[in-house]
């Protein structure tokens, strides 16, 4: 699994990137990836496989390959996920699916396009204030591999210097403490905010440590994955 994930983030002028995935078991099902440049735009993907263990890792490999193949010749995030969904709907076994969020970043224009298929909505931190990215209300949001004819839509977001995008999988917000209370979105926002002045890799490490401390000493029940994107001033 480690070899399948990018060893380093790409170097993009005007952008800082960092990502980390911590599997709950020996082999996990979360993934992230950076797609080749498309018309000056850089692709970013974060995903969560329904299965764990070896079966989850195999589906992860199939999902990453399908998305990369679907991205050849297209910069439209909805079109890419629709193509990948059609392929995975044929290839995956019953009850297996891939929750994924795909974004295309144009650093020259400070512009982001994105499509979410079953992932928690990413967060935008602007001048210290946090909010979820706008969510499409008309297209489908099913994870990949469930419905071959899912109609996804691409959304647009104008960014500003200093903006921080927080992509994450549900293993972080769903982390439970001994009382069955989830870590939740408020704690995630607070943990990121407390460490905003630190390098992105340190922010990720601090959030994961905070979530694990909240959950206690038990082994996490789900993978923990974060991908941060900062537009440098």
């Amino acid at each position: 699994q480690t070899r399948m994930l990018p060893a380093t983030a790409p170097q993009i002028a005007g952008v800082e990137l960092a990502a980390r995935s911590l599997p709950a078991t020996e082999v996990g099902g979360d993934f992230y990836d950076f797609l080749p440049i498309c018309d000056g735009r850089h692709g970013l993907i974060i995903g969560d496989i329904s299965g764990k263990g070896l079966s989850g890792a195999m589906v992860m490999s199939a999902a990453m390959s399908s998305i990369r193949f679907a991205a050849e010749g297209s910069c439209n995030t909805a079109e890419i996920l629709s193509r990948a969904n059609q392929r995975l709907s044929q290839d995956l076994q019953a009850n297996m699916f891939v929750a994924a969020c795909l974004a295309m970043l144009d650093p020259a224009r400070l512009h982001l396009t994105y499509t979410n298929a079953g992932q928690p909505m990413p967060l935008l931190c602007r001048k210290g204030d946090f909010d979820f990215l706008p969510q499409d209300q008309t297209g489908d949001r099913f994870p990949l591999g469930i419905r071959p004819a899912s109609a996804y839509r691409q959304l647009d977001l104008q960014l500003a210097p200093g903006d921080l995008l927080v992509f994450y999988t549900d293993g972080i917000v769903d982390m439970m403490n001994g009382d069955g209370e989830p870590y939740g979105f408020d704690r995630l926002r607070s943990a990121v905010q407390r460490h905003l002045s630190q390098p992105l890799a340190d922010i990720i490490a601090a959030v994961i440590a905070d979530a694990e401390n909240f959950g206690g000493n038990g082994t996490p029940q789900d993978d923990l994955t974060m991908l941060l994107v900062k537009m440098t001033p």
Side-chain angles (χ1 to χ4, degrees), residues 51 58 67 77 81 101-102 105 112 127 141 165 168 223 233:
M58 293 174 65
I67 293 169
T77 56
L81 288 190
C101 184
L102 172 65
L105 175 66
L112 186 81
K127 296 181 179 179
R141 286 175 280 176
L165 293 163
Y168 54 96
D223 305 333

Side-chain angles (χ1 to χ4, degrees), residues 22-24 168-185 187-188 207-225:
L22 185 66
Y168 54 96
T169 55
D170 60 5
I172 294 177
V173 292
D174 289 346
M175 175 80 75
M176 296 282 187
N177 64 11
D179 297 325
E181 181 184 7
Y183 185 69
F185 297 101
R187 290 185 178 88
L188 170 62
V207 171
I208 290 179
D210 191 61
E212 290 182 321
N213 289 336
F214 174 82
N217 296 323
T219 301
Q221 297 301 305
D222 201 357
D223 305 333
L224 310 177
T225 302

